[in-house]
Amino acid sequence: MGTVAVFGVGPGLGLSVAHRFGREGHRVALVSRTPDRHAGYLGSLADAGIEADAFVADVRDRAQLAAAVDAIGARFGSPDIVYYGPAALDPADRPAPITQADSDSVRTAMSWVYAAVDLVGLVLPGMVERGEGGLLFAGGLSSVVPMPALGNLALSSAALRNYAVTLNAALAGQGVYAGTLTIGGLIERGDIHRFMSAQATGGLPILDPDDLADAAWELYTKRDRAEAVFNALT
């Protein structure tokens, strides 16, 4: 039985990933910035017969991130699979168009990519040493389709996607997989979806997080490609 660590867990895709991998026999470590919703997440997993625990860390804080990885290791052992999917978009703070993006806003968006690199640096050496493991990421469709309205977030999405697929190429033959979900659409049950629904914003396409979690599992197990693209916008 291995352990999947879900960094940036929320009520949408993160929790669906936890359930999907948990159903396959993996223990689950949940990580988010605050513990406010952890009890509900853990209760949901316990009801499904999945062993899980939750940890608090802002992934952009290196010390907190390292402490969370250490705590997961002490509780479950080194994670066999790491999913990285924290929301880079504050639902209440929409990005400015790309023509208005400045270097400060880009640096802020890129902080989520730097956190991914820090996380990989903490877990990858052990995976390579063991000759097995998985690194899964979630990013936006603006990484491959021009979306000027997303501004600085489009740049960070492209960087995260490139990081994931380049890792996959670098790790070929070492037993460690890297891949990414490239997502275009609102994820049902997620925080952004809930915010948009509360704002009575209609007509936006919705994606089922359980379908996305199935795709993550398929990427990890089949390892025949580095990316699964979901474009509900066309």
Side-chain angles (χ1 to χ4, degrees):
M1 179 186 295
T3 299
V4 58
V6 180
F7 284 81
V9 64
L13 181 52
L15 190 57
S16 286
V17 167
H19 273 276
R20 184 66 181 86
F21 282 74
R23 288 203 307 272
E24 301 295 336
H26 293 280
R27 296 166 299 205
V28 174
L30 305 175
V31 182
S32 64
R33 279 172 275 182
T34 69
D36 299 350
R37 298 184 287 188
H38 284 174
Y41 298 158
L42 293 175
S44 171
L45 292 164
D47 288 345
I50 297 168
E51 182 182 359
D53 206 344
F55 307 84
V56 176
D58 182 335
V59 296
R60 294 169 297 175
D61 183 309
R62 290 183 180 180
Q64 290 186 31
L65 181 63
V69 171
D70 288 343
I72 292 168
R75 175 70 172 85
F76 292 124
S78 299
D80 302 274
I81 305 159
V82 167
Y83 166 83
Y84 179 85
L89 174 63
D90 182 341
D93 185 17
R94 299 182 186 182
I98 191 67
T99 53
Q100 299 175 25
D102 58 21
S103 60
D104 286 338
S105 69
V106 172
R107 273 188 286 272
T108 297
M110 288 296 294
S111 67
W112 298 99
V113 182
Y114 304 149
V117 176
D118 286 336
L119 177 57
V120 171
L122 292 168
V123 300
L124 180 58
M127 291 180 180
V128 171
E129 183 178 354
R130 295 190 298 273
E132 60 182 3
L135 303 164
L136 294 165
F137 305 86
L141 189 66
S142 60
S143 62
V144 292
V145 175
M147 295 184 180
L150 292 183
N152 56 336
L153 295 180
L155 302 182
S156 61
S157 292
L160 184 63
R161 175 187 179 273
N162 185 269
Y163 182 55
V165 299
T166 304
L167 273 176
N168 182 270
L171 293 169
Q174 298 184 59
V176 182
Y177 171 80
T180 186
L181 299 173
T182 297
I183 303 165
L186 290 178
I187 300 175
E188 190 176 11
R189 301 193 297 274
D191 288 329
I192 296 174
H193 174 232
R194 292 182 179 185
F195 174 81
M196 298 297 281
S197 298
Q199 298 297 309
T201 303
L204 294 175
I206 307 299
L207 292 168
D208 186 335
D210 294 339
D211 292 340
L212 300 175
D214 285 340
W217 176 254
E218 183 174 301
L219 285 176
Y220 171 69
T221 53
K222 290 189 175 180
R223 304 189 175 201
D224 56 353
R225 53 186 173 141
E227 179 181 28
V229 178
F230 291 82
N231 184 356
L233 303 178
T234 57

